[in-house]
Amino acid sequence: MPALSPTMTAGNIGTWQKKAGDTLAPGDVLVEIETDKAQMDFEFQDEGVLAKILKDSGEKDVAIGNPIAVMVEEGEDIAPFESFTLEDAGGEKAPAQPSKEEAAESSEPSDTGSGTSPPPPKEEPKSSKPAAQESESSGGRLQTSLERSPALSPRAKALALEKGVPIQQVKGSGPNGRVTEADIEKFKPAAAPAAPAGTAAGPSYEDIPTSSMRKTIANRLTESMNQNPHYFVSSSISVTKLMKLRQALNASADGKYKLSVNDFLIKACAVACLKVPAANSSWRGELGVIRQHNTVDVSVAVATPIGLMTPIVKGVEGLGLESISGQVKDLGKRARDGKLKPEEYQGGTFTISNMGMNPAVERFTAVINPPQAAILAVGTTKKVAVPAESEEGTGVEWDDQIVVTGSFDHKVVDGAVGGEWIREFKKVLENPLELLL
């Protein structure tokens, strides 16, 4: 099992693209593997022949380094590998788990005389062992199973089998308690105890197994909420000018591109990050530093069938809107298809999460993607009545607005700095021609 991401410790086997006997060349896809990040194609880097598959499709939690297949050089006979097993390849290796007895033992001997040493083990006196006791016996003769069964005629037995009557529960009315056909006919099973009044029916549910990616998402976001002191800054932003500019650019594109509102937002994030670089930073506690990045690599949240992915548009500060639009479409499609490479979703300096396509979501807050220090949450576009001055006096006109909420890590970005970033973002978005400079 190859390590396809830095945090991967185990993987799930997907579909094998090759079968035993197939020849492999460098770059050929051997098998699909579900890592803690995504479903990925494992490309073989050597020449050879697949002699035996040791882990079938669907195998879960295969530890890194455990054998999953046998490869041989081209021209080598693969017949001897037909009966080759996982044990022949060295077996599966898993971290050794200490037994309960070992865990209970102290790491310090009891005879060291230190204050932390455990007391010496107490020896049980020999007399403390309980003496063996003989079970009480009624003194009667052991009965066979036939003798323990109630007496009944063959016809009564056949009738009981036909009606499904439990013979052991029938009280015989014949001589010496013999069960008769009439007893079988009259038998009525005891009614089950009625449920107490007002008792609700048991819950109905379905347990859905968690994928490796879902476990990683759960661990990382829980870690983010526990270790990163979030604070949130919201702002209502007019996008009326932006919508008109987008419409004009798309109308003159001749089908070469189709810009989305999200493309403008990504570019505006880069402009604001350059003006307030503290928000384009990451916490590096292990090094004792805050790393301030000179380029803006924007992670774009994408919903996929297996969970949230954040493919990265790199160097956004140097890209035009057309290039940003093309990259977002390509990365989003491959994210949903599970075809992203690790370097395309690992890293990033700032994240944007846009739920504007859902008209029910006016605003929301997002969880920071560590080690980044900020993430922007974008709600849907709403028509808002605003005062407007005209020759006839003060009137009302409709303005397209969105509500954005920035989540900032207070370890890295102070409150006033987060507010400054939101102000710069609002300024450039309400004057979108600045994005073309």
Side-chain angles (χ1 to χ4, degrees):
M1 173 62 71
L4 299 181
S5 75
T7 57
M8 178 179 172
T9 59
N12 301 337
I13 303 294
T15 304
W16 285 92
Q17 302 298 327
K18 301 289 183 180
K19 62 181 182 298
D22 287 353
T23 301
L24 287 169
D28 286 352
V29 176
L30 178 60
V31 62
E32 293 178 358
I33 293 177
E34 181 189 345
T35 72
D36 58 341
K37 299 288 187 181
Q39 183 96 3
M40 302 180 62
D41 292 334
F42 173 45
E43 297 180 356
F44 201 64
Q45 301 302 320
D46 297 310
E47 295 181 349
V49 176
L50 179 60
K52 177 76 173 183
I53 294 176
L54 301 176
K55 286 288 185 180
D56 295 327
S57 297
E59 292 278 354
K60 295 184 178 298
D61 295 327
V62 181
I64 296 300
N66 279 353
I68 61 174
V70 178
M71 306 297 301
V72 298
E73 294 183 1
E74 192 170 354
E76 190 173 338
D77 186 15
I78 66 171
F81 293 96
E82 289 183 4
S83 59
F84 197 83
T85 65
L86 191 63
E87 287 69 27
D88 296 330
E92 293 191 86
K93 299 177 179 63
Q97 296 291 336
S99 66
K100 292 182 179 179
E101 294 180 359
E102 291 174 346
E105 292 180 358
S106 169
S107 61
E108 183 178 2
S110 59
D111 57 357
T112 59
S114 69
T116 59
S117 63
K122 295 181 180 179
E123 294 185 4
E124 294 287 342
K126 295 181 180 179
S127 60
S128 65
K129 292 183 179 180
Q133 296 181 355
E134 291 188 8
S135 61
E136 296 181 358
S137 173
S138 62
R141 184 177 62 86
L142 293 176
Q143 293 180 316
T144 65
S145 61
L146 290 176
E147 292 173 324
R148 291 195 300 272
S149 299
L152 75 165
S153 67
R155 294 187 63 179
K157 182 176 182 180
L159 184 61
L161 292 174
E162 179 183 343
K163 292 181 173 291
V165 173
I167 298 173
Q168 299 288 349
Q169 299 180 19
V170 179
K171 186 176 182 180
S173 60
N176 299 321
R178 187 181 181 88
V179 177
T180 65
E181 292 179 63
D183 296 329
I184 300 296
E185 294 285 0
K186 296 177 183 178
F187 175 79
K188 292 182 179 180
T199 303
S204 176
Y205 57 85
E206 177 186 0
D207 289 332
I208 301 174
T210 54
S211 64
S212 299
M213 183 178 175
R214 176 54 56 188
K215 293 175 184 176
T216 300
I217 292 173
N219 291 336
R220 284 180 60 81
L221 295 187
T222 301
E223 175 188 345
S224 178
M225 291 300 294
N226 289 339
Q227 299 184 8
N228 299 327
H230 287 56
Y231 72 90
F232 309 100
V233 183
S234 297
S235 180
S236 295
I237 300 177
S238 172
V239 292
T240 299
K241 294 180 180 178
L242 184 149
M243 302 291 268
K244 292 179 179 178
L245 175 61
R246 170 177 173 261
Q247 185 179 10
L249 290 174
N250 285 338
S252 62
D254 294 330
K256 295 179 182 178
Y257 57 82
K258 186 177 181 180
L259 302 178
S260 69
V261 173
N262 204 43
D263 301 330
F264 287 87
L265 298 177
I266 292 171
K267 182 64 177 180
C269 285
V271 173
C273 283
L274 290 180
K275 292 185 177 180
V276 187
N280 192 45
S281 304
S282 57
W283 177 259
R284 305 287 173 169
E286 69 281 2
L287 301 177
V289 300
I290 293 174
R291 180 171 296 170
Q292 195 169 103
H293 303 279
N294 297 324
T295 61
V296 185
D297 300 335
V298 179
S299 303
V300 182
V302 176
T304 74
I306 58 174
L308 186 70
M309 295 286 292
T310 52
I312 304 167
V313 182
K314 298 182 178 180
V316 177
E317 75 282 355
L319 299 178
L321 291 168
E322 180 182 355
S323 179
I324 292 172
S325 179
Q327 289 194 41
V328 170
K329 288 182 175 65
D330 173 61
L331 290 168
K333 182 180 184 304
R334 289 194 288 118
R336 286 183 284 271
D337 294 340
K339 302 298 183 182
L340 288 178
K341 299 176 182 178
E343 60 270 19
E344 292 177 318
Y345 58 80
Q346 292 176 359
T349 63
F350 187 93
T351 298
I352 181 172
S353 180
N354 187 354
M355 294 179 68
M357 67 292 300
N358 186 340
V361 181
E362 292 186 359
R363 69 182 71 196
F364 69 102
T365 57
V367 181
I368 296 170
N369 183 22
Q372 295 176 16
I375 181 172
L376 185 71
V378 183
T380 193
T381 306
K382 292 286 186 181
K383 293 282 187 182
V384 180
V386 296
E389 296 291 339
S390 65
E391 295 180 356
E392 300 176 356
T394 302
V396 173
E397 65 180 19
W398 294 100
D399 186 33
D400 291 317
Q401 294 187 6
I402 59 173
V403 177
V404 300
T405 302
S407 305
F408 298 94
D409 181 357
H410 219 315
K411 300 196 310 291
V412 182
V413 184
D414 290 332
V417 178
E420 182 66 20
W421 188 94
I422 288 289
R423 183 169 67 177
E424 292 293 341
F425 180 81
K426 178 183 176 78
K427 176 185 174 183
V428 70
L429 213 58
E430 291 186 337
N431 299 279
L433 289 176
E434 292 185 17
L435 298 173
L436 306 179
L437 299 178

